[in-house]
Amino acid sequence: RRWFRSTHYFDGSDHHTLIQKAAQKVLKTKPPPKPPRAGSADRLPSTERSRRRKKPKSNSNNAGTAPCGFLLVSRCSPARDALRELRHLAAPEKVKSCVRIWSQIGKLSKRKNGGYATALGDGFDLFDVDGIDENLTVADWVRIHAGEGDVSSIELLVELRSSTSARWVREDLELENRLRVGDFVDAQDRTGNWYESVVKEITDDTVKVHYWGWSSRWDGLVRRRERVNVIDENTATTDVVLPSPPAPLWSMSGQWRNKIKVGEDVEVREASSIVNRPRWFLAVVRDVGLETDTPREIAGGAHLETHPDENGGKSPLLLLNLTRQVLVEVPQERFNTSISLKTPKTDGSFLAPQPPFLRWVNLYGEEICKVYTHNKPKKLNDEPHTPATIRYAHDPTRPPVEVLRSFNNIHGAGFVRESLRGVPPAPGSVGLHNLGNSCFLNSILQCLNQFEPLTQYFIKGDYRNDLNTANPLGSGGRVAQSYASLLHDMWCGDYSTLAPRVLKQTVAAFAPQFNNYYQHDSQEFCSFLMDGLHEDLNRVKNKPYVEDFEGKGLQDETVAVESWKKHLLRHDSIIVDCCQGMHRSHLTCPKCSYESVKFDVYSTISLPLPRNKDTVTIDDCLTEFTTEEQLDEANAWYCPQCKEHVCARKLITLWNTPDILILHLKRFKFERCARSGGVLRSKVEERVNFPVDGLDMTVYCMGPQDVNAPAVYKLFGVSEHTGTTANSGHYTATVRNSQDGKWYRYNDSHVGSTSGDASITGGAYLLFYQRSKGKSRWAGMETFMNLRGVDPRGAEDKDGGFKEVKTRKKKKDKNVKRKTVC
């Protein structure tokens, strides 16, 4: 239900008798009842049964008696019908041309220093009852005219006149008559769009306005009065009727500035733009200031419109002189600067990545507009033509892909690679330039890009709350920031191909092994990138010293819980939340039968490939991984009971699996030549059959299962390798898009459609799986610990291994040789 408080204005004291007669018909002269509460109003089914009448009151502001009353109307009723009924109730004996209604919409646009949007206004503006959209409900109409605050009631003025030839009492307060230079209104342009505007010039028939957010060269003329058609004399062709007269501020353009919230998309003017040709970028609101805040420094270009200030200078024009500000993030504005960065591994300067530009803007200034005011929305899925020119059909026996090489036989080298604007074939499916044997990097980035929870964490800016710039094991937050910047570019829809140069340079600054144009192992880069992101986003600021925890006869569940609690003392990030699990390591000494049980954390499972089968499946690889093996001398284990290194028996079993499961197929062999002593490298080219959907890991997990998030996975990415060794050849990726569910093949800058089955080849190297149903933080350990009433952060010093241990470094005896028992 919505309340309408109606004040009735009548025309002149000569018609006092008519006034009283009409008022007594509409409003009974008995003690005014209290307006019913919303609860009781809900019981009134219709407008006819929801009338309430109030005793007339005098109003000194008008020529005659101005009785007051209220009308209860259903919020679902058509607004036009309800207001027509109000018009009839106010004067049932009068024709509608002698009755008009004013709303309080003008009270929504109060100036900071007093007054309203128009200098001579009193907060009420005239509106046409019959011109209201028939589909507009009372609730929606009240929100437009009363704001988003308390909309349980709205105050209206019902004005009467004695005849159609009589003068209206409030005629001087009509918008067309009270307009003055400097007033704020809504104005229509020649295309029919309405904008917030300021009045610059006024004549008897026209009004020149400046459209908010547009340069002065777009200032235009509109009609001053609705009933007068004025021809635009400035048009060079045919006569064009000027746009409609101005309307009250925010009655047509909407009150989006007053209702702005964190996370909303807006348009902001480029910080370095000029007046004549400003550029507008899409931005996201990250914080909303208060009107009482001290104005902050604004980083921006030239002002579109200014006015003289009290100091004799010029100040930017602000709607209603309001100074409220918002913090916006502009992904297209970045500062790339060459800074000197010294790390323990490398010295020198490199191009440091910067996150999307964050800056404050005036909410009521001209540097911010409603989204899609200047830039049209992009229709990614409706584009008839896309840059994808190749379709990769499934062919199990397809030959290796030939890639264009430069003169020095380095993939992508010798060419200038820059980002190219265009429409990608699907959201986020952007090609990546090869920057010189950087296909290993591109392959991993394409796979990780389509893991939606992790990508949204960076795109929405949530990573900033976890950024750990003081972590000595991290990069000062630079790897995370450069990765976030790349993801913003990949998902903004403005590029068909990107050059990940800044991310590559940032990684190379902290991992010198990647600071070259050599080919690298994509699995090695994947591990480093995930470790780098983890350390940059580690929520643990002060890491305690923690020792390994052994079972020593305890139940596996107890050992798993204690091991994970110790892990959380030093590691807590988005990577830990969704990318890390635990496996159980059981070692047995062949000499004394001493057993050691530990639970270790993993983010990638490296699976051996059995070579004694005609057809190899992923289950065969998992079975081989969980089969007991005998360690060789190179991997001998130190038995604490025998006090010597032994070739122990080792058994690894999975305890749980994380939301993103990375399986590494160990295709590359490294064997020492007996004759020369060198290392012989080879590759296993056997095809491994793995499921695209429905990989069931429940049979391999020893730990408790979460019925709401079972360990059943679907494939979303495959990093593929063509060549003989991990440090040569070429890397590509076949990835399922997280938005449209379709498969695409990424060959550096080339993107083509394909199928998931096309990735099942002898080149499949890294398999990226995602949990099919639900989410399970910490690979299910959070749910398990909560059910057992265990505090994940409740590790104590008494368990041992939580106190800092100071040891003296022993001198190494060169005459003592290491003894290994096998």
Side-chain angles (χ1 to χ4, degrees):
R1 300 294 184 266
R2 288 291 181 265
W3 287 95
F4 294 88
R5 178 170 176 264
S6 308
T7 304
H8 306 279
Y9 286 89
F10 297 92
D11 178 29
S13 58
D14 295 340
H15 303 87
H16 184 72
T17 303
L18 180 62
I19 294 169
Q20 296 297 332
K21 186 177 179 181
Q24 289 172 5
K25 274 192 171 185
V26 180
L27 308 170
K28 291 182 179 180
T29 56
K30 61 181 181 180
K34 294 183 179 180
R37 295 175 298 176
S40 59
D42 290 340
R43 296 192 295 270
L44 300 176
S46 66
T47 304
E48 286 294 331
R49 295 177 58 186
S50 303
R51 301 174 187 171
R52 298 291 184 270
R53 299 186 172 93
K54 199 171 182 179
K55 183 177 180 180
K57 294 183 180 180
S58 61
N59 192 328
S60 59
N61 296 333
N62 303 285
T65 305
C68 300
F70 57 85
L71 179 69
L72 183 64
V73 182
S74 169
R75 73 177 67 193
C76 301
S77 301
R80 185 172 64 181
D81 296 345
L83 292 167
R84 282 176 174 175
E85 182 182 6
L86 172 62
R87 184 174 61 188
H88 173 71
L89 289 173
E93 299 178 355
K94 287 186 174 292
V95 295
K96 65 179 183 179
S97 59
C98 292
V99 185
R100 61 182 187 178
I101 306 177
W102 301 63
S103 79
Q104 65 180 44
I105 189 171
K107 292 186 177 181
L108 301 177
S109 53
K110 292 183 179 180
R111 294 178 184 250
K112 184 174 183 179
N113 299 325
Y116 297 101
T118 54
L120 301 181
D122 63 352
F124 287 88
D125 277 288
L126 190 64
F127 67 93
D128 181 15
V129 174
D130 298 316
I132 298 176
D133 186 354
E134 62 179 0
N135 297 320
L136 193 66
T137 64
V138 169
D140 293 334
W141 187 88
V142 171
R143 288 190 185 96
I144 296 174
H145 289 258
E148 289 291 325
D150 181 14
V151 291
S152 60
S153 65
I154 184 173
E155 187 174 3
L156 303 174
L157 301 182
V158 181
E159 182 183 8
L160 309 180
R161 62 179 177 179
S162 57
S163 65
T164 56
S165 60
R167 183 178 182 274
W168 293 104
V169 175
R170 290 175 56 86
E171 183 175 333
D172 292 339
L173 291 176
E174 296 175 7
L175 182 60
E176 63 187 38
N177 295 325
R178 72 173 192 262
L179 278 179
R180 297 293 184 271
V181 174
D183 284 349
F184 298 103
V185 294
D186 277 356
Q188 190 182 40
D189 67 358
R190 294 178 182 176
T191 63
N193 296 319
W194 288 88
Y195 299 99
E196 302 153 317
S197 307
V198 60
V199 177
K200 298 187 69 175
E201 296 177 7
I202 300 177
T203 66
D204 292 339
D205 298 324
T206 63
V207 179
K208 185 178 181 180
V209 295
H210 169 70
Y211 299 106
W212 213 255
W214 296 85
S215 59
S216 298
R217 65 192 182 102
W218 297 107
D219 293 353
L221 290 176
V222 299
R223 285 175 286 164
R224 183 173 181 179
R225 296 173 175 83
E226 183 66 46
R227 53 188 174 272
V228 178
N229 287 337
V230 183
I231 304 300
D232 188 356
E233 299 177 353
N234 296 326
T235 56
T237 56
T238 59
D239 294 336
V240 178
V241 178
L242 293 179
S244 300
L249 182 64
W250 297 331
S251 63
M252 305 299 291
S253 62
Q255 306 167 37
W256 68 272
R257 296 181 193 266
N258 298 341
K259 300 182 292 184
I260 198 165
K261 297 178 181 179
V262 173
E264 288 188 10
D265 291 335
V266 293
E267 281 187 2
V268 297
R269 189 159 47 93
E270 185 184 18
S272 59
S273 65
I274 59 176
V275 175
N276 294 332
R277 301 190 66 182
R279 296 176 61 192
W280 293 85
F281 294 145
L282 183 67
V284 181
V285 177
R286 292 305 180 192
D287 193 11
V288 180
L290 301 176
E291 185 64 33
T292 56
D293 292 346
T294 302
R296 304 165 184 85
E297 181 181 358
I298 300 298
H303 302 296
L304 296 182
E305 193 74 8
T306 59
H307 68 93
D309 57 20
E310 55 188 12
N311 298 325
K314 291 186 177 181
S315 299
L317 197 59
L318 299 174
L319 273 174
L320 306 175
N321 302 324
L322 299 176
T323 57
R324 192 178 187 183
Q325 296 176 327
V326 292
L327 182 67
V328 295
E329 176 186 284
V330 192
Q332 289 179 270
E333 291 183 344
R334 293 187 181 90
F335 293 131
N336 290 328
T337 56
S338 180
I339 64 173
S340 178
L341 178 65
K342 295 185 178 180
T343 67
K345 299 180 180 180
T346 181
D347 294 334
S349 62
F350 72 103
L351 195 61
Q354 296 294 329
F357 190 30
L358 286 170
R359 57 186 176 96
W360 289 92
V361 297
N362 291 314
L363 176 58
Y364 296 92
E366 291 193 272
E367 59 265 35
I368 182 172
C369 287
K370 190 186 302 184
V371 66
Y372 304 136
T373 298
H374 300 85
N375 302 317
K376 295 182 180 179
K378 296 179 176 60
K379 300 180 181 180
L380 296 178
N381 297 328
D382 298 336
E383 292 290 336
H385 302 289
T386 65
T389 57
I390 306 174
R391 175 168 182 83
Y392 295 94
H394 171 45
D395 181 8
T397 61
R398 67 184 181 187
V401 178
E402 293 187 4
V403 182
L404 179 65
R405 296 171 180 263
S406 65
F407 67 95
N408 54 2
N409 206 34
I410 296 179
H411 291 281
F415 303 96
V416 177
R417 303 294 186 180
E418 298 297 339
S419 300
L420 301 178
R421 292 191 177 273
V423 180
S429 294
V430 178
L432 297 175
H433 276 309
N434 194 316
L435 304 177
N437 274 336
S438 64
C439 54
F440 69 93
L441 177 144
N442 295 343
S443 176
I444 297 301
L445 292 179
Q446 296 290 10
C447 293
L448 293 179
N449 178 44
Q450 297 300 335
F451 180 58
E452 188 174 17
L454 184 63
T455 297
Q456 290 297 320
Y457 169 81
F458 282 97
I459 291 179
K460 292 180 179 179
D462 297 338
Y463 74 97
R464 292 194 188 88
N465 299 327
D466 299 333
L467 208 60
N468 189 345
T469 58
N471 188 356
L473 299 179
S475 65
R478 291 179 175 85
V479 171
Q481 289 174 339
S482 60
Y483 185 69
S485 299
L486 179 65
L487 291 182
H488 274 93
D489 288 343
M490 295 181 76
W491 287 92
C492 70
D494 292 336
Y495 299 96
S496 60
T497 307
L498 288 170
R501 182 174 290 106
V502 175
L503 177 62
K504 186 177 185 297
Q505 292 174 339
T506 306
V507 170
F510 297 93
Q513 67 268 31
F514 298 112
N515 190 20
N516 49 54
Y517 292 101
Y518 301 145
Q519 185 66 279
H520 293 278
D521 189 341
S522 67
Q523 190 271 335
E524 180 186 1
F525 174 76
C526 181
S527 298
F528 173 82
L529 179 60
M530 295 186 68
D531 288 343
L533 293 176
H534 161 65
E535 295 297 350
D536 278 358
L537 303 170
N538 199 343
R539 304 179 186 111
V540 179
K541 307 303 179 183
N542 298 312
K543 294 184 178 182
Y545 174 81
V546 177
E547 289 185 349
D548 293 337
F549 184 82
E550 289 198 32
K552 298 180 181 178
L554 299 176
Q555 293 184 351
D556 284 344
E557 292 184 354
T558 302
V559 181
V561 168
E562 294 302 321
S563 298
W564 189 255
K565 287 167 62 176
K566 288 198 171 188
H567 181 66
L568 292 179
L569 288 175
R570 294 178 58 87
H571 307 281
D572 184 14
S573 69
I574 183 69
I575 303 298
V576 176
D577 293 345
C578 58
C579 302
Q580 290 187 355
M582 282 198 304
H583 61 68
R584 180 180 183 271
S585 176
H586 188 177
L587 293 168
T588 304
C589 178
K591 184 177 181 181
C592 66
S593 299
Y594 177 85
E595 294 182 320
S596 172
V597 177
K598 291 184 180 180
F599 281 75
D600 298 319
V601 176
Y602 70 88
S603 57
T604 302
I605 301 177
S606 296
L607 300 178
L609 272 63
R611 309 182 70 172
N612 56 354
K613 300 188 66 175
D614 295 334
T615 303
V616 179
T617 66
I618 196 68
D619 289 322
D620 296 331
C621 299
L622 287 166
T623 302
E624 185 80 8
F625 174 76
T626 55
T627 301
E628 187 179 65
E629 64 174 334
Q630 185 89 25
L631 299 180
D632 55 18
E633 275 194 54
N635 298 294
W637 170 66
Y638 182 80
C639 176
Q641 186 164 298
C642 296
K643 306 296 182 181
E644 58 184 349
H645 288 85
V646 296
C647 296
R649 297 192 304 272
K650 183 177 182 181
L651 176 64
I652 293 181
T653 51
L654 295 176
W655 181 254
N656 51 29
T657 52
D659 286 345
I660 176 174
L661 178 65
I662 304 177
L663 301 180
H664 168 221
L665 302 181
K666 298 171 67 174
R667 293 192 175 274
F668 302 106
K669 301 289 184 178
F670 302 91
E671 299 175 347
R672 186 169 299 278
C673 179
R675 179 177 300 179
S676 64
V679 177
L680 300 178
R681 298 177 176 89
S682 61
K683 179 183 177 182
V684 180
E685 297 282 358
E686 292 184 47
R687 171 177 165 175
V688 178
N689 292 322
F690 48 85
V692 175
D693 294 290
L695 174 62
D696 190 356
M697 296 293 293
T698 57
V699 295
Y700 300 103
C701 295
M702 295 180 57
Q705 303 289 329
D706 186 352
V707 294
N708 297 320
V712 180
Y713 292 82
K714 62 180 180 180
L715 185 72
F716 73 90
V718 178
S719 176
E720 305 162 325
H721 177 267
T722 302
T724 56
T725 66
N727 300 107
S728 64
H730 184 59
Y731 287 94
T732 57
T734 300
V735 188
R736 189 199 312 239
N737 188 276
S738 60
Q739 299 299 310
D740 62 14
K742 298 180 180 179
W743 286 88
Y744 297 89
R745 189 164 187 269
Y746 300 89
N747 187 351
D748 288 334
S749 59
H750 300 286
V751 182
S753 59
T754 185
S755 65
D757 292 335
S759 63
I760 307 176
T761 66
Y765 185 42
L766 284 177
L767 311 181
F768 293 81
Y769 280 94
Q770 180 180 358
R771 197 181 300 273
S772 300
K773 176 186 175 183
K775 295 180 180 179
S776 188
R777 190 186 183 200
W778 300 340
M781 290 301 296
E782 182 181 50
T783 302
F784 176 67
M785 295 169 78
N786 288 337
L787 291 176
R788 294 190 56 179
V790 178
D791 182 9
R793 317 289 181 181
E796 299 180 358
D797 288 351
K798 66 180 182 180
D799 293 337
F802 294 91
K803 297 180 180 179
E804 184 176 359
V805 178
K806 297 181 179 180
T807 59
R808 292 183 301 174
K809 185 179 293 187
K810 296 182 179 180
K811 294 183 179 180
K812 193 172 183 180
D813 191 351
K814 298 182 180 179
N815 298 322
V816 178
K817 296 184 179 180
R818 173 177 169 178
K819 180 181 179 182
T820 302
V821 177
C822 294

